[in-house]
């Protein structure tokens, strides 16, 4: 997780805080998508998507807007790293083999995460499939929220453990989404 690699100890210790769904999250995404689109339009091949928990109506979340932009490939989209700096996006080579990852405005205080991901890649397809699945399945959304709240309570000062704890359920729901089925319980 980027939290443990940023070199900023305040980032590692920033508490995991879950808030009730806020309709303003969609507005914050739309505003940011517009700015990002103007800054890197020539590299966008797969749209600008609101992803992560803040993109799912009625789902409690950490109040960080996750944005995924589809690009042709990682190498040809490298110029975007410099182009996003004036927008206060800090690049960090987290999972650099599958995406360009950024946070805004700084690692110790994040309001946005930005992921430049090759359009059509497994990462791109899985993120959209998971988001769409929990949007469409209230039971899956409720299970995911319960897990997130439990992990936030258990690991309030360990974002890496919080994130790792969600991996199994995310994988199960993504698999169900990609297969077009309900997950086994």
């Amino acid at each position: 997780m980027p939290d443990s690699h940023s070199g900023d100890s305040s980032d590692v210790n920033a508490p995991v805080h879950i808030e009730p769904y806020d309709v303003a999250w969609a507005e914050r995404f739309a505003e940011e998508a517009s700015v990002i689109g103007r800054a890197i339009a020539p590299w966008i091949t797969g749209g600008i998507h609101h992803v992560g928990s803040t993109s799912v109506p009625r789902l409690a979340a950490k109040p960080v807007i996750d944005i995924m932009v589809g690009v042709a490939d990682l190498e040809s989209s490298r110029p975007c790293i410099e182009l996003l700096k004036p927008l206060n996006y800090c690049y960090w080579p987290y999972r650099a083999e599958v995406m360009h990852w950024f946070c805004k405005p700084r690692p110790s205080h994040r309001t946005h995460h930005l992921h430049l991901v090759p359009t059509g890649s497994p990462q791109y397809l899985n993120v959209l499939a998971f988001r769409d699945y929990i949007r469409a399945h209230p039971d899956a959304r409720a299970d995911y929220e319960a897990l997130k709240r439990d992990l936030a309570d258990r690991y309030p000062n360990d974002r890496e453990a919080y994130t790792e704890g969600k991996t199994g359920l995310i994988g199960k729901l993504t698999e169900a989404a990609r297969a077009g089925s309900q997950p086994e319980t």
Side-chain angles (χ1 to χ4, degrees), residues 13 43-44 70 84 87 89 154 162:
N13 296 321
W43 290 271
I44 300 172
L84 291 163
L87 303 179
Y89 278 98
R154 285 194 291 163
Y162 168 82

Side-chain angles (χ1 to χ4, degrees), residues 98-110:
V98 297
M99 72 176 109
H100 296 309
W101 186 90
F102 305 80
C103 65
K104 179 180 181 173
R106 60 190 178 277
S108 61
H109 173 72
R110 302 174 188 180

Side-chain angles (χ1 to χ4, degrees), residues 82-145:
E82 289 300 316
L83 293 169
L84 291 163
K85 278 184 182 178
L87 303 179
N88 292 319
Y89 278 98
C90 302
Y91 172 72
W92 185 256
Y94 167 66
R95 297 192 60 207
E97 70 283 358
V98 297
M99 72 176 109
H100 296 309
W101 186 90
F102 305 80
C103 65
K104 179 180 181 173
R106 60 190 178 277
S108 61
H109 173 72
R110 302 174 188 180
T111 59
H112 297 77
H113 290 160
L114 175 61
H115 316 257
L116 303 187
V117 180
T119 303
S121 69
Q123 176 74 12
Y124 180 89
L125 297 172
N126 287 342
V127 167
L128 293 177
F130 175 76
R131 179 204 61 193
D132 294 346
Y133 192 85
I134 59 174
R135 280 179 173 173
H137 294 88
D139 290 345
R141 182 174 59 243
D143 290 347
Y144 186 53
E145 182 173 322

Side-chain angles (χ1 to χ4, degrees), residues 48-85:
I48 302 174
H49 304 275
H50 189 187
V51 297
S53 294
T54 61
S55 72
V56 180
R58 299 173 304 282
L59 179 63
K62 291 184 316 210
V64 177
I65 306 302
D66 279 292
I67 302 167
M68 183 173 71
V69 176
V71 296
D73 59 69
L74 296 177
E75 187 58 36
S76 70
S77 62
R78 288 198 63 79
C80 296
I81 295 170
E82 289 300 316
L83 293 169
L84 291 163
K85 278 184 182 178

